[in-house]
Amino acid sequence: MLYPTPLSHYEAAKRNYRPARFFELDNYFMDEGMIRGKLPSHSKIGVIGDWGTGMQDAFFLLNDMLTRAPDISAVVHLGDIYESGLPHECMAHFKEPIEKIFAKKYPHIPFFAIPGNHEYFSAGGGYFSMIDTLNNGLEDIWQQKRSYFVIRSVCNNWQIIGLDTGLGSTKCHQQGQYCIPTVEYEEAKWAQKVIQCFSGKTILLTHHPFVSCDVYLNKQIYNDIKFFNINLLDTFWNEIDKIDLWLWGHDHWFIPFVKDLQVPQMENDKRKTPILKRGVLLGGSAREIKQEDRKILYKNGVEKNKEGHFIVPEITQDGLYNHTYAIINLGQSCIEYFQTPAWFGDATIPSANPIHNPIFSHSI
């Protein structure tokens, strides 16, 4: 089915999707989305977004991360394996490079992945087959069985939740929207419970943005609400205040949003608008983007440095934004964002040296 209609595309993807069936156990809401392994409370977790290109600069970035943090406990991917998440692409652009890089030095590190829209271009079959074998060789407690997950620390003072917005993106063209997907109903109810019933800190991961900086996500034009994903906003209205950090991808660069981001008031909505403690776009781990392709439109909520300039990656000699990744340090309750060089193609690798200082950091 190379050219599915929007409706048949969603229906085909829904057949591959694995819905939430949760139950309560010891005051936690469990299902196959719960990773049974526990992270040490001092863990470092690597985060990459839109990484699945299979290109040499993507491999360079992952090697740089592991060299910088050899004591890393896990790596998570914010989605998008190019171009369509076909089985051979999921293997060649994601699983095989990870296994090759990890095989000798880091065989103990689990890797987790939520899907983006690209995995669902082929209805998600390649992605789901991939996650079933992604952590083979590790204990079964580290296996990911759903397109969403939650990982908790040993002392239950941290949880990292990954959600599937990719399936919802298959409806966007049908609705005539840019792309403001949310998660499936059962998954949303599961995630709401997981957030509400946890007393520690919560880091939320989605592929699609909660708020964009360069695209109008919807037709609402008042009070900057047009930049916000109103579907995710409505779904997690009561949970946003409990999210300590929300990381997303989809747009292929790096943008940190301001601390305690006030959600604009929606027209005729009498509810008190929530505050997002910290949100960051981290979608620039491998897809090359030229400087002229990215302009910041939403200026009110984007972080600036002391000189008043927007915090964005450096530009290469070819006019490309550097690639970016993050390392979460649970022990120090902080996260650092690093950059590595970007280049087109595999024929010639330029002089690519690690950039040692983080481009940005903040507490969680």
Side-chain angles (χ1 to χ4, degrees):
M1 186 170 58
L2 294 179
Y3 301 100
T5 65
L7 183 60
S8 64
H9 187 183
Y10 171 73
E11 290 175 341
K14 188 66 181 288
R15 284 196 291 269
N16 287 317
Y17 174 78
R18 301 168 185 177
R21 297 184 180 90
F22 60 88
F23 58 92
E24 188 172 359
L25 177 66
D26 297 332
N27 295 321
Y28 290 127
F29 287 80
M30 308 272 291
D31 84 330
E32 294 293 339
M34 176 70 72
I35 304 299
R36 293 185 293 115
K38 297 277 191 175
L39 295 170
S41 293
H42 61 276
S43 289
K44 293 179 181 178
I45 298 99
V47 187
I48 54 179
D50 299 70
W51 180 82
T53 63
M55 305 300 284
Q56 290 299 320
D57 51 356
F59 307 157
F60 182 92
L61 178 139
L62 190 58
N63 273 305
D64 186 75
M65 172 194 291
L66 296 172
T67 301
R68 188 183 304 276
D71 55 344
I72 207 166
S73 297
V75 179
V76 293
H77 181 230
L78 300 179
D80 268 4
I81 301 173
Y82 302 100
E83 289 294 325
S84 302
L86 293 164
H88 75 272
E89 291 174 329
C90 289
M91 293 299 292
H93 298 174
F94 201 85
K95 187 173 184 288
E96 290 175 356
I98 289 168
E99 290 179 341
K100 182 178 180 180
I101 293 170
F102 280 33
K104 294 182 179 179
K105 294 184 177 180
Y106 311 98
H108 59 287
I109 300 177
F111 211 107
F112 306 99
I114 54 175
N117 50 301
H118 278 261
E119 285 87 338
Y120 278 109
F121 285 171
S122 57
Y127 163 81
F128 283 99
S129 296
M130 179 197 73
I131 62 170
D132 284 341
T133 62
L134 187 57
N135 291 323
N136 278 2
L138 299 179
E139 295 181 72
D140 185 62
I141 58 174
W142 297 112
Q143 301 304 309
Q144 180 182 340
K145 301 181 184 297
R146 292 288 193 270
S147 54
Y148 59 90
F149 59 81
V150 58
I151 319 168
R152 291 199 170 114
S153 62
V154 171
C155 299
N156 284 322
N157 54 344
W158 290 92
Q159 66 175 0
I160 300 173
I161 303 171
L163 297 180
D164 180 348
T165 60
L167 177 60
S169 71
T170 63
K171 300 178 181 179
C172 290
H173 299 295
Q174 177 184 349
Q175 297 172 351
Q177 302 168 144
Y178 165 69
C179 200
I180 51 171
T182 187
V183 298
E184 291 293 293
Y185 176 80
E186 297 88 351
E187 183 181 333
K189 300 302 290 185
W190 173 84
Q192 290 164 357
K193 293 290 187 182
V194 168
I195 295 171
Q196 291 170 358
C197 296
F198 191 68
S199 59
K201 291 186 176 183
T202 294
I203 298 172
L204 183 65
L205 314 174
T206 58
H207 176 70
H208 289 90
F210 173 64
V211 53
S212 175
C213 64
D214 62 345
V215 172
Y216 301 153
L217 295 181
N218 56 77
K219 296 179 181 179
Q220 306 289 348
I221 61 173
Y222 47 86
N223 294 339
D224 290 334
I225 197 68
K226 60 187 173 182
F227 292 97
F228 285 73
N229 182 321
I230 55 176
N231 290 340
L232 287 174
L233 174 59
D234 189 60
T235 298
F236 294 107
W237 188 281
N238 296 319
E239 289 72 43
I240 290 174
D241 288 339
K242 300 179 185 296
I243 297 168
D244 296 277
L245 172 63
W246 191 335
L247 299 174
W248 56 77
H250 190 60
D251 295 326
H252 302 147
W253 63 337
F254 166 77
I255 291 289
F257 293 84
V258 296
K259 182 180 180 182
D260 297 329
L261 178 65
Q262 177 71 57
V263 177
Q265 184 70 40
M266 295 178 67
E267 189 175 42
N268 300 322
D269 194 327
K270 303 302 182 182
R271 297 178 294 179
K272 180 181 178 182
T273 55
I275 294 176
L276 179 62
K277 295 176 183 177
R278 176 69 78 173
V280 177
L281 163 62
L282 187 67
S285 294
R287 195 71 178 235
E288 293 83 7
I289 292 295
K290 294 182 178 180
Q291 183 179 11
E292 60 264 25
D293 294 336
R294 284 290 179 261
K295 305 296 181 184
I296 296 176
L297 299 179
Y298 178 49
K299 304 181 186 302
N300 295 336
V302 175
E303 186 77 43
K304 299 178 182 179
N305 60 23
K306 294 180 180 179
E307 289 73 36
H309 300 138
F310 294 117
I311 300 172
V312 295
E314 296 176 9
I315 309 296
T316 69
Q317 291 181 348
D318 295 328
L320 305 175
Y321 280 105
N322 279 342
H323 295 318
T324 49
Y325 67 88
I327 296 177
I328 303 171
N329 191 323
L330 300 185
Q332 297 183 9
S333 299
C334 69
I335 179 170
E336 294 181 313
Y337 305 89
F338 297 92
Q339 54 185 326
T340 59
W343 63 87
F344 284 122
D346 289 342
T348 302
I349 300 176
S351 177
N353 298 312
I355 302 171
H356 295 289
N357 295 326
I359 185 175
F360 186 62
S361 63
H362 59 82
S363 60
I364 306 173

